Amino acid sequence: MSKVFALIKKEAHRQITGLEMIPSENYVSEDVLKALGSILTNKYSEGFPGRRYYGGNEVIDEIEVYASELANTLFGTKAAFVQPYSGSPANMAATMAVCNPGDVVMGLALTSGGHLTHGANLSFSSIFYKAVNYNVGKDGKIDYDSLERLAKQHQPKLIWAGTTAYPYKLDYEKYAAIADAVGAYLIADISHISGLIVGGVHPTPVNHVHIITTTTHKTLRGPRGAMILVTEKGLQKDPDLKSKIERAIIPGLQGGPHNHQTAAIAVSLEEAFKPSFKKYALQVVKNAAVLAKELGTISENHLVLKDLSELGFGLGYQAQVALEYAGITVNKNTIPGDKASPFYPSGIRLGTPALTSRGMKEADMIKVAAWIKRVLQEIKGLDLPTEQEKRKDFIKDIKKLLVKNKNLQKIKAEVEDFTKKYPIPGLYKHYGTKNRL
Ligand code: DSN
Protein backbone atom coordinates (compact mmCIF):
# COMPACT_ATOMS: atom_id res chain seq x y z
CA MET A 1 0.00 0.00 0.00
CA SER A 2 1.30 3.46 -0.91
CA LYS A 3 2.45 5.47 2.08
CA VAL A 4 -0.05 8.14 1.01
CA PHE A 5 -3.05 5.88 1.63
CA ALA A 6 -1.74 4.91 5.03
CA LEU A 7 -1.50 8.62 5.85
CA ILE A 8 -5.02 9.27 4.53
CA LYS A 9 -6.26 6.51 6.80
CA LYS A 10 -4.45 8.13 9.71
CA GLU A 11 -6.11 11.47 8.92
CA ALA A 12 -9.50 9.75 8.61
CA HIS A 13 -8.96 8.38 12.12
CA ARG A 14 -8.21 11.91 13.37
CA GLN A 15 -11.34 13.28 11.69
CA ILE A 16 -13.53 10.52 13.12
CA THR A 17 -12.29 10.59 16.70
CA GLY A 18 -12.05 14.34 17.22
CA LEU A 19 -14.40 17.30 17.27
CA GLU A 20 -13.78 19.46 14.19
CA MET A 21 -14.71 22.98 15.19
CA ILE A 22 -12.84 25.19 12.74
CA PRO A 23 -15.85 27.15 11.40
CA SER A 24 -14.64 27.11 7.80
CA GLU A 25 -14.42 23.31 7.64
CA ASN A 26 -17.03 20.66 6.99
CA TYR A 27 -17.57 17.05 5.93
CA VAL A 28 -18.65 16.40 2.35
CA SER A 29 -20.96 13.63 1.23
CA GLU A 30 -19.99 10.33 -0.32
CA ASP A 31 -21.19 11.61 -3.73
CA VAL A 32 -19.07 14.77 -3.53
CA LEU A 33 -16.04 12.60 -2.74
CA LYS A 34 -16.85 10.32 -5.66
CA ALA A 35 -17.07 13.20 -8.16
CA LEU A 36 -13.89 14.73 -6.76
CA GLY A 37 -12.02 11.45 -7.17
CA SER A 38 -13.33 10.86 -10.70
CA ILE A 39 -11.64 10.60 -14.09
CA LEU A 40 -12.67 14.17 -14.87
CA THR A 41 -9.28 15.15 -13.47
CA ASN A 42 -7.74 13.74 -16.68
CA LYS A 43 -9.06 16.46 -18.97
CA TYR A 44 -7.73 19.86 -20.04
CA SER A 45 -10.37 22.43 -20.95
CA GLU A 46 -9.04 26.01 -20.90
CA GLY A 47 -11.75 28.43 -21.88
CA PHE A 48 -15.48 28.33 -21.26
CA PRO A 49 -18.26 25.99 -22.45
CA GLY A 50 -18.47 26.04 -26.25
CA ARG A 51 -15.25 28.09 -26.42
CA ARG A 52 -12.39 25.78 -25.36
CA TYR A 53 -8.80 25.75 -26.54
CA TYR A 54 -8.74 21.92 -26.69
CA GLY A 55 -11.01 19.32 -28.26
CA GLY A 56 -12.88 16.57 -26.49
CA ASN A 57 -14.78 18.84 -24.13
CA GLU A 58 -18.39 18.02 -25.03
CA VAL A 59 -19.09 16.33 -21.71
CA ILE A 60 -17.01 18.79 -19.68
CA ASP A 61 -19.08 21.60 -21.23
CA GLU A 62 -22.28 19.92 -20.08
CA ILE A 63 -20.94 19.53 -16.56
CA GLU A 64 -19.81 23.16 -16.30
CA VAL A 65 -23.04 24.54 -17.76
CA TYR A 66 -25.03 22.36 -15.35
CA ALA A 67 -22.99 23.54 -12.35
CA SER A 68 -23.46 27.20 -13.35
CA GLU A 69 -27.21 26.75 -13.85
CA LEU A 70 -27.56 25.13 -10.44
CA ALA A 71 -25.64 28.01 -8.83
CA ASN A 72 -27.76 30.67 -10.55
CA THR A 73 -30.99 28.98 -9.50
CA LEU A 74 -29.83 28.44 -5.93
CA PHE A 75 -28.57 32.00 -5.37
CA GLY A 76 -30.91 33.90 -7.74
CA THR A 77 -28.04 35.28 -9.83
CA LYS A 78 -27.67 35.93 -13.56
CA ALA A 79 -24.26 34.40 -14.27
CA ALA A 80 -22.14 31.91 -12.36
CA PHE A 81 -18.47 31.12 -12.82
CA VAL A 82 -17.43 27.86 -11.22
CA GLN A 83 -13.81 27.63 -12.37
CA PRO A 84 -11.95 29.58 -9.65
CA TYR A 85 -9.60 27.15 -7.92
CA SER A 86 -10.49 28.47 -4.47
CA GLY A 87 -11.61 31.54 -2.56
CA SER A 88 -8.51 33.69 -2.88
CA PRO A 89 -8.20 33.26 -6.69
CA ALA A 90 -11.93 33.96 -6.99
CA ASN A 91 -11.52 37.20 -5.07
CA MET A 92 -8.48 38.13 -7.11
CA ALA A 93 -10.39 37.53 -10.36
CA ALA A 94 -13.39 39.53 -9.13
CA THR A 95 -11.09 42.41 -8.13
CA MET A 96 -9.27 42.31 -11.48
CA ALA A 97 -12.61 42.39 -13.28
CA VAL A 98 -13.72 45.67 -11.74
CA CYS A 99 -10.51 47.48 -10.73
CA ASN A 100 -7.34 48.69 -12.38
CA PRO A 101 -4.06 48.45 -10.47
CA GLY A 102 -3.83 51.35 -8.05
CA ASP A 103 -7.59 51.73 -7.58
CA VAL A 104 -8.93 52.03 -4.03
CA VAL A 105 -10.46 48.87 -2.55
CA MET A 106 -12.10 48.77 0.86
CA GLY A 107 -12.56 45.74 3.06
CA LEU A 108 -13.03 44.78 6.70
CA ALA A 109 -9.66 44.73 8.51
CA LEU A 110 -8.20 41.30 9.22
CA THR A 111 -8.13 42.11 12.93
CA SER A 112 -11.86 42.89 12.79
CA GLY A 113 -12.66 39.54 11.16
CA GLY A 114 -12.04 40.38 7.48
CA HIS A 115 -10.11 38.37 4.90
CA LEU A 116 -6.59 38.65 3.47
CA THR A 117 -7.93 39.25 -0.05
CA HIS A 118 -10.10 42.19 1.03
CA GLY A 119 -7.17 44.58 1.41
CA ALA A 120 -4.85 43.12 4.03
CA ASN A 121 -1.14 43.88 4.23
CA LEU A 122 1.04 41.54 2.17
CA SER A 123 -1.93 40.31 0.10
CA PHE A 124 -2.25 41.11 -3.64
CA SER A 125 -5.22 43.22 -2.58
CA SER A 126 -2.96 45.78 -0.94
CA ILE A 127 0.13 45.23 -3.12
CA PHE A 128 -1.58 45.99 -6.44
CA TYR A 129 -4.45 48.13 -5.16
CA LYS A 130 -4.71 50.96 -2.65
CA ALA A 131 -6.33 49.24 0.31
CA VAL A 132 -8.39 51.03 2.92
CA ASN A 133 -9.71 49.00 5.85
CA TYR A 134 -12.83 49.57 7.88
CA ASN A 135 -13.37 48.06 11.31
CA VAL A 136 -15.82 46.78 13.86
CA GLY A 137 -16.81 49.10 16.69
CA LYS A 138 -16.49 48.53 20.45
CA ASP A 139 -19.56 46.27 20.35
CA GLY A 140 -17.75 43.93 17.92
CA LYS A 141 -20.19 44.81 15.11
CA ILE A 142 -19.31 46.43 11.78
CA ASP A 143 -19.16 50.19 12.22
CA TYR A 144 -21.25 51.24 9.21
CA ASP A 145 -20.96 54.95 10.09
CA SER A 146 -17.20 54.85 9.96
CA LEU A 147 -17.36 52.72 6.78
CA GLU A 148 -19.50 55.46 5.22
CA ARG A 149 -17.09 58.22 6.31
CA LEU A 150 -14.10 56.30 4.92
CA ALA A 151 -15.91 55.57 1.65
CA LYS A 152 -16.75 59.24 1.16
CA GLN A 153 -13.17 60.23 1.98
CA HIS A 154 -11.40 57.61 -0.20
CA GLN A 155 -13.94 57.12 -3.04
CA PRO A 156 -13.25 53.38 -3.50
CA LYS A 157 -13.78 51.59 -6.77
CA LEU A 158 -14.71 48.45 -4.85
CA ILE A 159 -16.12 47.69 -1.41
CA TRP A 160 -15.98 44.16 0.01
CA ALA A 161 -18.81 42.99 2.27
CA GLY A 162 -17.33 39.82 3.68
CA THR A 163 -15.98 38.24 6.84
CA THR A 164 -14.09 35.24 8.17
CA ALA A 165 -14.32 35.71 11.90
CA TYR A 166 -17.53 37.61 12.53
CA PRO A 167 -20.36 36.08 14.58
CA TYR A 168 -23.12 38.50 13.55
CA LYS A 169 -25.41 38.90 10.54
CA LEU A 170 -24.40 41.37 7.83
CA ASP A 171 -26.61 44.29 6.83
CA TYR A 172 -26.34 44.28 3.02
CA GLU A 173 -28.82 47.16 2.67
CA LYS A 174 -26.50 49.42 4.64
CA TYR A 175 -23.53 48.29 2.58
CA ALA A 176 -25.44 48.97 -0.65
CA ALA A 177 -26.49 52.47 0.41
CA ILE A 178 -22.84 53.34 1.10
CA ALA A 179 -21.45 51.74 -2.09
CA ASP A 180 -24.15 53.27 -4.28
CA ALA A 181 -23.57 56.73 -2.79
CA VAL A 182 -19.91 56.66 -3.89
CA GLY A 183 -20.48 54.71 -7.12
CA ALA A 184 -18.40 51.72 -5.96
CA TYR A 185 -18.81 48.13 -6.98
CA LEU A 186 -20.05 46.09 -4.02
CA ILE A 187 -18.95 42.47 -3.73
CA ALA A 188 -20.35 40.16 -1.06
CA ASP A 189 -17.85 37.45 -0.16
CA ILE A 190 -20.22 34.95 1.40
CA SER A 191 -17.68 32.14 1.73
CA HIS A 192 -18.44 31.48 5.38
CA ILE A 193 -22.19 31.86 5.19
CA SER A 194 -23.22 30.65 1.71
CA GLY A 195 -24.82 27.50 3.18
CA LEU A 196 -26.71 29.62 5.69
CA ILE A 197 -27.98 31.91 2.92
CA VAL A 198 -29.16 28.94 0.85
CA GLY A 199 -30.76 27.52 3.99
CA GLY A 200 -32.65 30.79 4.60
CA VAL A 201 -31.03 31.52 7.97
CA HIS A 202 -28.96 34.53 6.87
CA PRO A 203 -30.19 37.38 4.61
CA THR A 204 -29.10 37.10 0.99
CA PRO A 205 -27.06 39.91 -0.58
CA VAL A 206 -28.40 39.14 -4.07
CA ASN A 207 -30.52 42.30 -4.47
CA HIS A 208 -27.94 44.63 -2.95
CA VAL A 209 -24.56 43.75 -4.45
CA HIS A 210 -23.08 43.56 -7.94
CA ILE A 211 -21.03 40.39 -7.49
CA ILE A 212 -21.02 37.53 -5.01
CA THR A 213 -17.99 35.34 -4.37
CA THR A 214 -18.00 32.21 -2.29
CA THR A 215 -15.89 29.22 -1.53
CA THR A 216 -17.79 25.97 -1.87
CA HIS A 217 -16.28 23.98 0.97
CA LYS A 218 -17.49 25.75 4.10
CA THR A 219 -21.16 25.85 5.18
CA LEU A 220 -22.15 25.00 1.59
CA ARG A 221 -20.57 21.57 2.20
CA GLY A 222 -19.02 21.07 -1.23
CA PRO A 223 -15.47 20.33 -2.34
CA ARG A 224 -12.67 22.89 -2.03
CA GLY A 225 -13.40 25.41 -4.76
CA ALA A 226 -15.11 28.73 -5.35
CA MET A 227 -17.66 30.56 -7.49
CA ILE A 228 -18.12 34.10 -8.76
CA LEU A 229 -21.76 35.06 -9.23
CA VAL A 230 -23.09 38.14 -11.05
CA THR A 231 -26.36 39.69 -9.94
CA GLU A 232 -29.05 41.56 -11.87
CA LYS A 233 -27.86 44.74 -10.12
CA GLY A 234 -24.32 43.97 -11.31
CA LEU A 235 -25.41 43.69 -14.94
CA GLN A 236 -27.35 46.94 -14.65
CA LYS A 237 -24.26 48.75 -13.36
CA ASP A 238 -21.95 47.15 -15.91
CA PRO A 239 -23.36 45.17 -18.88
CA ASP A 240 -19.81 43.90 -19.61
CA LEU A 241 -19.34 42.41 -16.16
CA LYS A 242 -19.61 38.79 -17.33
CA SER A 243 -16.93 39.11 -19.99
CA LYS A 244 -14.69 41.10 -17.61
CA ILE A 245 -14.90 38.27 -15.07
CA GLU A 246 -14.24 35.63 -17.74
CA ARG A 247 -11.15 37.48 -18.92
CA ALA A 248 -9.91 37.83 -15.35
CA ILE A 249 -10.25 34.07 -14.74
CA ILE A 250 -8.61 33.06 -18.01
CA PRO A 251 -6.26 34.32 -19.44
CA GLY A 252 -5.94 36.71 -16.47
CA LEU A 253 -5.21 34.27 -13.69
CA GLN A 254 -5.85 30.62 -14.35
CA GLY A 255 -5.16 27.87 -16.84
CA GLY A 256 -7.20 24.70 -17.16
CA PRO A 257 -10.15 24.37 -14.81
CA HIS A 258 -10.29 21.48 -12.34
CA ASN A 259 -13.16 19.58 -13.91
CA HIS A 260 -13.41 17.01 -11.13
CA GLN A 261 -13.84 19.94 -8.75
CA THR A 262 -16.52 21.52 -10.96
CA ALA A 263 -18.43 18.24 -10.99
CA ALA A 264 -18.17 17.92 -7.22
CA ILE A 265 -19.41 21.50 -6.84
CA ALA A 266 -22.42 20.56 -8.99
CA VAL A 267 -23.12 17.55 -6.76
CA SER A 268 -22.99 19.69 -3.63
CA LEU A 269 -25.30 22.28 -5.22
CA GLU A 270 -27.78 19.50 -6.02
CA GLU A 271 -27.62 18.50 -2.38
CA ALA A 272 -28.17 22.10 -1.26
CA PHE A 273 -31.57 22.11 -3.04
CA LYS A 274 -32.87 19.34 -0.77
CA PRO A 275 -35.16 20.19 2.16
CA SER A 276 -32.67 18.36 4.40
CA PHE A 277 -30.10 21.07 3.63
CA LYS A 278 -32.43 23.78 5.00
CA LYS A 279 -32.79 21.73 8.17
CA TYR A 280 -29.02 21.39 8.33
CA ALA A 281 -28.43 25.15 7.99
CA LEU A 282 -31.00 25.92 10.68
CA GLN A 283 -29.39 23.40 13.02
CA VAL A 284 -25.91 24.89 12.40
CA VAL A 285 -27.20 28.26 13.61
CA LYS A 286 -29.13 26.81 16.57
CA ASN A 287 -26.05 24.85 17.63
CA ALA A 288 -23.79 27.91 17.38
CA ALA A 289 -26.21 29.99 19.45
CA VAL A 290 -26.18 27.38 22.24
CA LEU A 291 -22.41 26.92 22.06
CA ALA A 292 -21.88 30.69 22.23
CA LYS A 293 -24.25 31.07 25.19
CA GLU A 294 -22.52 28.27 27.09
CA LEU A 295 -19.18 29.99 26.45
CA GLY A 296 -20.54 33.35 27.60
CA THR A 297 -20.87 35.07 24.24
CA ILE A 298 -23.23 35.49 21.25
CA SER A 299 -23.49 34.01 17.77
CA GLU A 300 -25.99 34.88 15.05
CA ASN A 301 -24.48 32.53 12.50
CA HIS A 302 -22.29 29.41 12.48
CA LEU A 303 -19.29 30.86 14.29
CA VAL A 304 -18.22 31.73 17.80
CA LEU A 305 -15.44 34.17 18.58
CA LYS A 306 -14.36 33.64 22.16
CA ASP A 307 -12.31 36.31 23.88
CA LEU A 308 -10.09 34.61 26.48
CA SER A 309 -8.90 37.82 28.13
CA GLU A 310 -10.84 37.08 31.32
CA LEU A 311 -8.56 34.03 31.80
CA GLY A 312 -5.28 35.79 31.09
CA PHE A 313 -3.21 37.63 28.48
CA GLY A 314 -2.68 36.36 24.92
CA LEU A 315 -4.08 32.86 25.50
CA GLY A 316 -5.37 32.07 21.98
CA TYR A 317 -2.45 29.87 20.89
CA GLN A 318 -2.28 28.09 24.23
CA ALA A 319 -6.02 27.36 24.00
CA GLN A 320 -5.67 26.03 20.45
CA VAL A 321 -2.89 23.65 21.52
CA ALA A 322 -4.64 22.50 24.69
CA LEU A 323 -7.91 21.90 22.82
CA GLU A 324 -6.07 19.96 20.13
CA TYR A 325 -4.56 17.68 22.78
CA ALA A 326 -8.09 17.16 24.06
CA GLY A 327 -9.34 16.14 20.60
CA ILE A 328 -11.06 19.46 19.80
CA THR A 329 -9.81 21.41 16.76
CA VAL A 330 -10.24 25.20 16.77
CA ASN A 331 -8.03 28.08 15.70
CA LYS A 332 -6.45 30.95 17.59
CA ASN A 333 -7.87 34.26 16.45
CA THR A 334 -7.47 37.94 17.09
CA ILE A 335 -10.36 39.60 18.85
CA PRO A 336 -11.46 43.17 18.04
CA GLY A 337 -8.95 45.61 19.55
CA ASP A 338 -6.60 42.73 20.46
CA LYS A 339 -3.81 43.91 22.78
CA ALA A 340 -1.72 40.73 22.43
CA SER A 341 -0.25 39.81 19.02
CA PRO A 342 -1.69 38.75 15.65
CA PHE A 343 0.49 35.59 15.92
CA TYR A 344 -0.39 34.89 19.54
CA PRO A 345 -3.77 36.55 19.90
CA SER A 346 -6.31 36.73 22.69
CA GLY A 347 -9.10 34.61 21.28
CA ILE A 348 -10.21 31.44 19.57
CA ARG A 349 -12.57 30.98 16.63
CA LEU A 350 -14.82 27.95 16.60
CA GLY A 351 -17.96 26.85 14.82
CA THR A 352 -20.63 24.24 14.33
CA PRO A 353 -20.86 23.37 10.57
CA ALA A 354 -18.86 20.14 10.78
CA LEU A 355 -20.31 18.89 14.07
CA THR A 356 -23.82 19.54 12.73
CA SER A 357 -23.00 17.48 9.62
CA ARG A 358 -22.31 14.60 12.03
CA GLY A 359 -25.83 14.98 13.44
CA MET A 360 -25.07 16.84 16.66
CA LYS A 361 -27.76 19.02 18.22
CA GLU A 362 -28.18 21.58 21.01
CA ALA A 363 -27.77 19.09 23.87
CA ASP A 364 -24.49 17.96 22.35
CA MET A 365 -23.26 21.56 22.18
CA ILE A 366 -23.77 21.85 25.94
CA LYS A 367 -21.49 18.82 26.40
CA VAL A 368 -18.94 20.16 23.92
CA ALA A 369 -18.92 23.55 25.67
CA ALA A 370 -18.37 21.83 29.01
CA TRP A 371 -15.27 20.07 27.63
CA ILE A 372 -14.00 23.34 26.18
CA LYS A 373 -14.45 25.09 29.52
CA ARG A 374 -12.58 22.27 31.30
CA VAL A 375 -9.72 22.55 28.77
CA LEU A 376 -9.53 26.31 29.23
CA GLN A 377 -8.98 25.83 32.97
CA GLU A 378 -5.75 24.02 32.08
CA ILE A 379 -4.21 27.09 30.41
CA LYS A 380 -4.81 29.46 33.31
CA GLY A 381 -1.52 31.07 34.27
CA LEU A 382 0.07 30.39 30.86
CA ASP A 383 -0.19 34.04 29.79
CA LEU A 384 1.86 35.23 26.82
CA PRO A 385 4.97 37.04 28.12
CA THR A 386 4.63 40.78 27.65
CA GLU A 387 8.35 41.01 26.78
CA GLN A 388 8.70 40.23 23.04
CA GLU A 389 12.09 38.50 23.45
CA LYS A 390 10.70 35.92 25.88
CA ARG A 391 7.85 34.87 23.58
CA LYS A 392 9.74 32.54 21.23
CA ASP A 393 10.96 30.17 23.96
CA PHE A 394 7.66 30.37 25.81
CA ILE A 395 5.71 29.30 22.73
CA LYS A 396 8.18 26.46 22.07
CA ASP A 397 7.66 25.12 25.59
CA ILE A 398 3.85 25.28 25.53
CA LYS A 399 3.43 22.10 23.50
CA LYS A 400 5.92 20.20 25.64
CA LEU A 401 4.06 21.26 28.75
CA LEU A 402 0.52 20.61 27.54
CA VAL A 403 1.16 17.29 25.83
CA LYS A 404 1.88 15.78 29.27
CA ASN A 405 -1.27 17.20 30.86
CA LYS A 406 -3.30 14.30 32.31
CA ASN A 407 -6.58 16.26 32.45
CA LEU A 408 -6.35 16.98 28.72
CA GLN A 409 -5.66 13.29 28.05
CA LYS A 410 -8.73 12.37 30.11
CA ILE A 411 -10.92 14.81 28.15
CA LYS A 412 -9.56 13.42 24.87
CA ALA A 413 -10.65 9.92 25.89
CA GLU A 414 -14.14 11.22 26.77
CA VAL A 415 -14.36 13.11 23.45
CA GLU A 416 -13.26 10.04 21.51
CA ASP A 417 -15.90 7.94 23.20
CA PHE A 418 -18.57 10.56 22.48
CA THR A 419 -17.70 10.72 18.76
CA LYS A 420 -18.55 7.01 18.33
CA LYS A 421 -22.25 7.93 18.16
CA TYR A 422 -21.73 10.37 15.28
CA PRO A 423 -20.53 8.99 11.94
CA ILE A 424 -18.90 11.28 9.44
CA PRO A 425 -20.83 11.63 6.16
CA GLY A 426 -18.89 9.98 3.38
CA LEU A 427 -16.03 8.64 5.41
CA TYR A 428 -17.20 5.21 6.50
CA LYS A 429 -18.58 4.23 3.10
CA HIS A 430 -15.73 5.82 1.18
CA TYR A 431 -13.22 3.63 2.98
CA GLY A 432 -15.28 0.50 2.32
CA THR A 433 -15.99 -0.30 5.91
CA LYS A 434 -18.60 0.38 8.54
CA ASN A 435 -15.97 -0.17 11.18
CA ARG A 436 -13.90 2.55 12.69
CA LEU A 437 -10.60 2.98 10.95
N1 DSN B 1 -9.12 30.04 5.63
C1 DSN B 1 -10.46 30.57 5.60
C2 DSN B 1 -11.05 30.56 6.96
O1 DSN B 1 -10.68 29.72 7.75
O2 DSN B 1 -11.91 31.37 7.26
C3 DSN B 1 -10.53 31.90 4.99
O3 DSN B 1 -9.78 31.92 3.82
Side-chain angles (χ1 to χ4, degrees), residues 24 115 164 192 218 349:
S24 48
H115 190 252
T164 64
H192 264 258
K218 298 188 175 92
R349 187 186 70 150

Side-chain angles (χ1 to χ4, degrees), residues 119-263:
N121 269 346
L122 303 178
S123 145
F124 77 88
S125 56
S126 70
I127 295 171
F128 302 127
Y129 303 93
K130 185 171 179 299
V132 175
N133 289 160
Y134 57 92
N135 277 287
V136 293
K138 284 206 178 74
D139 59 357
K141 295 189 176 172
I142 289 168
D143 183 347
Y144 293 96
D145 292 337
S146 127
L147 165 59
E148 185 175 13
R149 276 195 302 278
L150 285 168
K152 285 188 173 149
Q153 183 187 342
H154 295 280
Q155 296 291 311
K157 188 80 172 286
L158 162 63
I159 297 177
W160 284 99
T163 63
T164 64
Y166 186 71
Y168 304 105
K169 291 196 167 95
L170 293 181
D171 189 334
Y172 294 115
E173 279 186 51
K174 279 192 183 158
Y175 269 111
I178 296 166
D180 291 346
V182 296
Y185 284 96
L186 180 60
I187 306 184
D189 178 347
I190 60 168
S191 293
H192 264 258
I193 52 174
S194 48
L196 306 185
I197 289 171
V198 168
V201 289
H202 188 288
T204 170
V206 73
N207 294 325
H208 307 291
V209 305
H210 305 105
I211 297 173
I212 297 172
T213 63
T214 182
T215 48
T216 44
H217 48 272
K218 298 188 175 92
T219 47
L220 197 53
R221 218 161 50 177
R224 274 176 195 283
M227 306 191 289
I228 303 176
L229 312 171
V230 180
T231 65
E232 173 78 48
K233 184 174 173 178
L235 291 180
Q236 276 167 14
K237 178 173 172 66
D238 185 351
D240 292 333
L241 206 44
K242 284 197 269 186
S243 53
K244 285 180 181 173
I245 291 170
E246 280 188 356
R247 280 200 300 276
I249 294 171
I250 175 168
L253 280 169
Q254 298 194 172
H258 296 173
N259 299 308
H260 55 304
Q261 189 183 36
T262 302

Side-chain angles (χ1 to χ4, degrees), residues 360-406:
M360 293 183 199
K361 298 225 164 78
E362 290 94 322
D364 301 306
M365 294 305 111
I366 293 173
K367 288 184 194 155
V368 170
W371 279 311
I372 292 172
K373 285 188 270 190
R374 274 170 62 194
V375 170
L376 294 178
Q377 290 307 310
E378 302 301 315
I379 58 163
K380 268 190 174 166
L382 299 179
D383 296 24
L384 185 73
T386 41
E387 305 90 330
Q388 296 272 356
E389 61 283 2
K390 288 194 183 159
R391 285 184 183 171
K392 213 168 146 206
D393 284 341
F394 170 81
I395 289 299
K396 234 173 30 200
D397 292 342
I398 281 295
K399 283 194 169 185
K400 285 189 211 144
L401 181 77
L402 290 173
V403 77
K404 291 185 288 200
N405 183 305
K406 292 273 181 295

